């Protein structure tokens, strides 16, 4: 088998990215990541309780600030409550929190094993992430939201909105994964990249609209947020869920998400290429 | 058939030099001074199919760096590697399909999942036909006694169990070559022996070529007909273990039990190592005198009741080398 990626120096994008795609393998990886996420029951319950606690806390703030019947920046009180429970339910799929597991393998050196496999390294981590996040979405996020639905009357979308939301979440997962991958990869260059990861997390939490809907931002800051990829992770799916985006606006949202997913993925793979060059030339 | 060919292999790293003085870390960010470190300076050897070779040397001799180049992770600075007709770092993916790698201090198993899950995933990673995978798993389960913990999460395994599982994991796809970096590190005597037996078995019965680094010379004595000894980034010895002993082990120890205790013993051509009551240990150079001559010399001065001549342990030869790197070169 010939690999177009293996040039004389053998490091151009590395065959890692140009392997014939073995979908079954990535499915098997995702399945294991899903199972792995289900191993720790105490963490599972604690996660839901923590999310629900913070969602409730944030809701009480909104309820105190809102006057009955008013609407702020297009958000009714119920919109604000729905938005809060939704984002809190989505937290474990990357809405306001980056996974650190790749970074840990880089620091421990275990990444060497993963780099010397006949697979796409990016595909491997993407499958792992998708498997784990599917678990979190289906068994963690949904339960969290159910609590919001039962006790705070958080909104349930119509069927078409729900379907559009599923597509938006899929794209959001790709964007948030690529972003997290890039941030984790800095561990190849920095001996301790926890600082970078913390800042990256804050930027994500803020500009994705997790902390506060982008609609509440001052206009100039909102413009900044709309130029960044993070809205694709939380704000756009949430606005679809709320029914604020309809018709062509939904398609525009998909396009923005897909565009960022593609750009960040290419950036991440490019960066992986440089990381590999560093590893193979300098020995990590 | 030659499986591994390594010629004048060299790997030089550029190490960042830490700056000192005022604003050192800030200046370090702006301008980077580096100095070259020759991890491997000139290593050549060949390994034939079916061999079991010990690759040994003191810490920092360049063992792991060589291993990383052989497994395709590192690019050599210069020199040539060819393994089964492939250049590992150029055809990395095809290369790794045909080798197995175990780093004793790392695990390739999924920590939180039952051991069998990692084995099952490996089937998909290497596209191992189901029947082949089942047969291999069955065979390794028997040889390594994996059965009792196949359904136990890896994090609950003992170190010995984990190591056995990692060995099986590295071999499920029938690699032609197995690279092992410290496979017995941290294990107890029983666990070590079990791993040695297994390696011997797959080398003999399955024809797997094995190259292993270790700090436990018992591994080498037990397993490796051939050792490649490296020091300061170069090969200082390549051949049978027995020859290493005769070539470098010139020193013998004569231990005599005398009829009465003495304070001091003076014999030509020998160095007094210790006196413990009636027992005296003398060290002599095989090239300068013979055991017979020395015994005669001792007997002429002191009445001898019993005596033994000790061959140098491989361990002590290697230890000399490790304590004084470069002493054999």
């Amino acid at each position: 088998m010939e690999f177009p990626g293996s040039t004389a120096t053998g490091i151009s994008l590395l065959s890692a990215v140009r392997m014939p795609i073995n979908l079954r393998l990535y499915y098997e990886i995702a399945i294991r990541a899903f199972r792995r996420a289900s191993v720790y029951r105490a963490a599972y319950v604690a996660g839901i309780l923590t999310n629900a606690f913070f969602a409730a806390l944030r809701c009480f703030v909104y309820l105190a600030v809102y006057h009955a019947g008013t609407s702020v920046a297009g958000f009714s009180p119920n919109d604000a409550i729905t938005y809060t429970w939704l984002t809190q339910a989505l937290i474990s799929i990357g809405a306001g929190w980056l996974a650190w597991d790749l970074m840990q393998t880089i620091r421990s050196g275990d990444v060497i094993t993963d780099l010397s496999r006949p697979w796409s390294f990016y595909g491997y981590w993407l499958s792992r992430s998708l498997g784990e996040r599917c678990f979190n979405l289906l068994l963690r996020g949904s339960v969290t939201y159910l609590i919001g639905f039962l006790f705070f009357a958080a909104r349930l979308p119509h069927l078409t909105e729900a379907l559009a939301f599923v597509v938006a979440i899929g794209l959001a997962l790709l964007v948030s994964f690529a972003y997290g991958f890039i941030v984790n990869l800095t561990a190849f260059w920095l001996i301790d990249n926890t600082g970078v990861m913390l800042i990256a997390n804050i930027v994500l939490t803020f500009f994705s609209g997790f902390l506060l809907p982008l609609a509440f931002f001052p206009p100039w800051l909102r413009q900044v947020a709309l130029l960044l990829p993070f809205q694709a992770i939380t704000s756009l799916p949430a606005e679809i869920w709320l029914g604020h985006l309809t018709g062509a606006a939904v398609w525009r949202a998909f396009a923005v998400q897909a565009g960022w997913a593609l750009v960040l993925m290419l950036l991440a793979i490019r960066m992986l290429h440089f990381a590999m060059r560093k590893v193979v030339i300098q020995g990590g | 058939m030659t499986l591994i060919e390594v010629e004048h292999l060299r790997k030089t790293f550029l190490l960042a030099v830490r700056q000192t003085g005022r604003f050192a870390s800030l200046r370090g960010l702006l301008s980077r001074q580096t100095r070259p470190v020759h991890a491997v300076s000139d290593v050549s050897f060949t390994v034939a199919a079916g061999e079991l070779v010990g690759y040994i040397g003191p810490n920092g001799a360049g063992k792991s760096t060589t291993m990383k180049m052989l497994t395709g992770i590192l690019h050599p600075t210069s020199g040539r590697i060819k393994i089964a007709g492939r250049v590992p770092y150029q055809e990395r993916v095809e290369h790794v399909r045909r080798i197995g790698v175990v780093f004793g201090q790392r695990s390739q198993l999924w920590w939180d999942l039952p051991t069998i899950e990692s084995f099952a995933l490996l089937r998909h990673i290497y596209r191992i036909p189901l029947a082949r995978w089942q047969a291999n798993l069955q065979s390794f389960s028997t040889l390594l006694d994996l059965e009792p913990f196949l359904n136990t999460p890896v994090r609950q395994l003992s170190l010995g169990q984990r190591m056995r599982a990692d060995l099986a994991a590295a071999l499920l796809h029938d690699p032609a070559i197995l690279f092992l970096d410290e496979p017995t590190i941290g294990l107890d005597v029983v666990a070590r022996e079990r791993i040695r037996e297994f390696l011997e078995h797959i080398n003999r019965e399955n024809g797997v070529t094995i190259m292993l680094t270790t700090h436990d010379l018992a591994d080498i004595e037990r397993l490796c007909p051939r050792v490649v000894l490296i020091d300061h980034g170069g090969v200082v010895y390549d051949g049978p273990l027995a020859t290493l002993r005769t070539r470098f082990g010139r020193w013998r120890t004569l231990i005599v039990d005398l009829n009465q205790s003495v304070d001091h013993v003076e014999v030509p051509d020998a160095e007094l190592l210790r006196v413990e009551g009636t027992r005296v240990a003398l060290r002599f150079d095989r090239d300068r005198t013979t055991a017979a001559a020395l015994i005669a010399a001792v007997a002429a001065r002191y009445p001898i009741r019993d005596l033994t001549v000790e061959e140098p342990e491989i361990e002590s030869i290697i230890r000399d080398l490790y304590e004084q790197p470069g002493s054999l070169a």
Side-chain angles (χ1 to χ4, degrees):
Chain A
M1 209 180 319
E2 282 297 316
F3 292 93
S6 41
T7 60
T9 52
I11 43 176
S12 88
L13 266 201
L14 285 159
S15 16
V17 195
R18 301 202 184 174
M19 295 265 306
I21 294 172
N22 176 357
L23 279 180
R24 177 69 194 271
L25 168 61
Y26 299 108
Y27 167 76
E28 295 287 340
I29 294 168
I31 285 289
R32 275 165 189 80
F34 189 97
R35 270 184 222 147
R36 185 170 160 263
S38 66
V39 167
Y40 298 103
R41 300 220 175 103
Y44 168 72
V45 174
I48 290 174
L49 290 179
T50 314
N51 283 341
F53 172 76
F54 278 103
L57 202 69
R58 287 168 63 192
C59 280
F60 288 133
V61 174
Y62 279 127
L63 291 174
V65 173
Y66 265 94
H67 295 289
T70 55
S71 155
V72 178
F75 275 64
S76 69
N78 182 258
D79 283 349
I81 284 167
T82 300
Y83 191 92
T84 304
W85 281 95
L86 182 70
T87 52
Q88 207 69 49
L90 295 180
I91 192 170
S92 53
I93 65 155
W97 173 79
L98 291 171
W100 296 43
D101 39 7
L102 169 57
M103 175 270 259
Q104 278 158 353
T105 70
I106 298 170
R107 289 179 75 174
S108 69
D110 288 347
V111 70
I112 289 296
T113 310
D114 297 333
L115 285 171
S116 26
R117 290 273 194 225
W119 62 22
S120 151
F121 184 74
Y122 190 82
Y124 161 63
W125 278 101
L126 178 60
S127 314
R128 257 183 88 147
S129 165
L130 290 181
E132 188 184 329
R133 286 168 182 201
C134 278
F135 173 86
N136 286 337
L137 188 66
L138 297 176
L139 287 119
R140 223 167 177 162
S142 60
V143 174
T144 306
Y145 196 80
L146 186 68
I147 297 171
F149 171 73
L150 292 176
F151 295 97
F152 287 81
R155 177 180 193 264
L156 284 186
H158 305 300
L159 183 63
T160 45
E161 287 163 352
L163 287 176
F165 175 77
V166 170
V167 175
I169 280 298
L171 291 166
L173 285 176
L174 295 180
V175 176
S176 99
F177 171 74
Y179 175 62
F181 190 86
I182 289 170
V183 174
N184 271 270
L185 228 52
T186 58
F188 274 113
W189 291 273
L190 306 168
I191 294 156
D192 185 353
N193 75 331
T194 46
V196 172
M197 296 208 57
L198 283 173
I199 292 168
N201 250 328
I202 292 168
V203 170
L204 170 69
T205 310
F206 187 74
F207 284 106
S208 67
F210 171 77
L211 217 53
L212 208 63
L214 298 186
F216 290 9
F217 283 21
W220 67 272
L221 196 60
R222 185 153 184 266
Q223 284 308 311
V224 173
L226 292 182
L227 290 173
L228 295 171
F230 309 107
Q231 53 160 328
I233 297 172
T234 311
S235 183
L236 291 176
E239 284 185 73
I240 290 173
W241 182 269
L242 281 172
H244 286 187
L245 297 181
T246 47
V250 172
W251 292 104
R252 261 200 303 280
F254 289 167
V256 168
Q257 287 186 301
W260 277 119
L262 191 67
V263 168
L264 290 183
M265 187 187 85
L266 292 176
L267 201 67
I269 289 176
R270 192 80 200 136
M271 199 164 151
L272 174 62
H273 163 63
F274 284 117
M276 284 296 281
R277 181 196 281 275
K278 183 180 154 49
V279 171
V280 300
I281 303 292
Q282 293 169 29
Chain B
M1 193 189 83
T2 308
L3 201 57
I4 305 177
E5 283 173 80
V6 176
E7 267 176 39
H8 303 299
L9 196 62
R10 184 187 184 90
K11 180 72 198 178
T12 307
F13 295 112
L14 287 178
L15 227 68
V17 179
R18 212 164 259 280
Q19 309 219 7
T20 50
R22 272 186 154 195
F23 307 116
S25 49
L26 201 62
R27 277 190 289 128
L29 281 177
L30 299 174
S31 74
R32 276 219 154 177
Q33 286 185 349
T34 55
R35 78 187 157 85
V37 174
H38 305 289
V40 171
S41 48
D42 184 6
V43 166
S44 304
F45 59 84
T46 60
V47 176
E51 271 196 278
L52 206 168
V53 180
Y55 194 62
I56 58 176
N59 284 329
K63 297 189 300 285
S64 291
T65 307
T66 312
M67 281 299 213
K68 281 182 185 165
M69 287 191 275
L70 292 175
T71 52
I73 295 163
L74 275 182
H75 284 227
T77 307
S78 66
R80 216 172 65 91
I81 308 178
K82 206 142 209 194
I83 297 179
R86 288 193 183 76
V87 180
Y89 53 95
Q90 282 176 8
E91 298 167 79
R92 203 178 55 92
V93 173
E94 280 307 289
H95 175 63
V96 298
R97 277 186 195 284
R98 283 159 184 83
I99 61 167
V101 184
V102 176
F103 292 108
Q105 313 202 45
R106 309 221 148 102
S107 179
Q108 57 166 306
L109 308 167
W110 283 52
W111 200 241
D112 303 303
L113 293 182
T115 315
I116 187 78
E117 288 284 335
S118 295
F119 293 157
L121 186 63
L122 284 161
R123 181 164 83 79
H124 298 288
I125 294 175
Y126 293 97
R127 297 182 186 239
I128 309 165
L130 184 60
R132 186 73 221 150
W133 178 82
Q134 281 168 336
N136 280 346
L137 186 59
Q138 181 60 50
S139 144
F140 298 148
S141 290
T142 314
L143 288 168
L144 291 165
D145 195 19
L146 306 176
E147 203 76 51
F149 55 89
L150 275 180
N151 291 307
T152 310
V154 175
R155 72 189 134 82
Q156 290 173 13
L157 301 186
S158 72
L159 188 59
Q161 289 175 328
R162 204 222 75 206
M163 200 55 228
R164 272 140 61 198
D166 258 307
L167 271 176
L171 288 161
L172 282 172
H173 60 294
D174 289 314
I177 312 171
L178 181 62
F179 292 102
L180 300 164
D181 197 4
E182 298 281 358
T184 57
I185 197 160
L187 300 185
D188 64 41
V189 184
V190 181
R192 273 167 203 243
E193 190 46 35
R194 171 157 228 153
I195 284 183
R196 288 173 196 146
E197 271 167 23
F198 175 73
L199 294 177
E200 198 168 38
H201 179 92
I202 56 154
N203 175 248
R204 263 195 213 144
E205 306 299 321
N206 306 17
V208 179
T209 306
I210 300 178
M211 204 164 155
L212 75 105
T213 74
T214 180
H215 273 103
D216 183 0
L217 287 162
D219 287 348
I220 301 283
E221 298 217 66
R222 169 84 163 66
L223 282 176
C224 307
R226 175 184 166 198
V227 291
V228 174
L229 180 58
I230 66 162
D231 187 22
H232 279 17
V235 177
V236 290
Y237 176 78
D238 181 351
L241 195 62
T243 317
L244 179 71
R245 195 190 306 249
T246 51
R247 170 132 22 128
F248 298 110
R250 299 186 315 183
W251 295 95
R252 298 280 185 280
T253 307
L254 171 68
I255 296 172
V256 289
D257 284 320
L258 306 176
N259 270 337
Q260 67 216 49
S261 60
V262 289
D263 295 333
H264 192 72
V265 172
E266 186 81 49
V267 204
D269 291 330
E271 180 194 334
L272 182 66
L273 281 183
R274 58 184 182 271
V275 180
E276 290 157 2
T278 58
R279 176 165 289 191
V280 178
L282 294 158
R283 197 166 87 121
F284 66 99
D285 184 343
R286 190 191 56 190
D287 295 346
R288 286 178 53 202
T289 183
T290 61
L294 190 63
I295 292 164
V298 176
R301 279 156 231 220
Y302 314 92
I304 296 179
R305 208 178 51 198
D306 196 7
L307 63 87
T308 46
V309 179
E310 283 183 354
E311 288 272 302
E313 292 283 323
I314 281 298
E315 187 118 10
S316 73
I317 298 170
I318 307 282
R319 193 173 50 231
D320 285 349
L321 171 76
Y322 286 8
E323 280 166 3
Q324 292 170 288
S327 61
L328 297 189

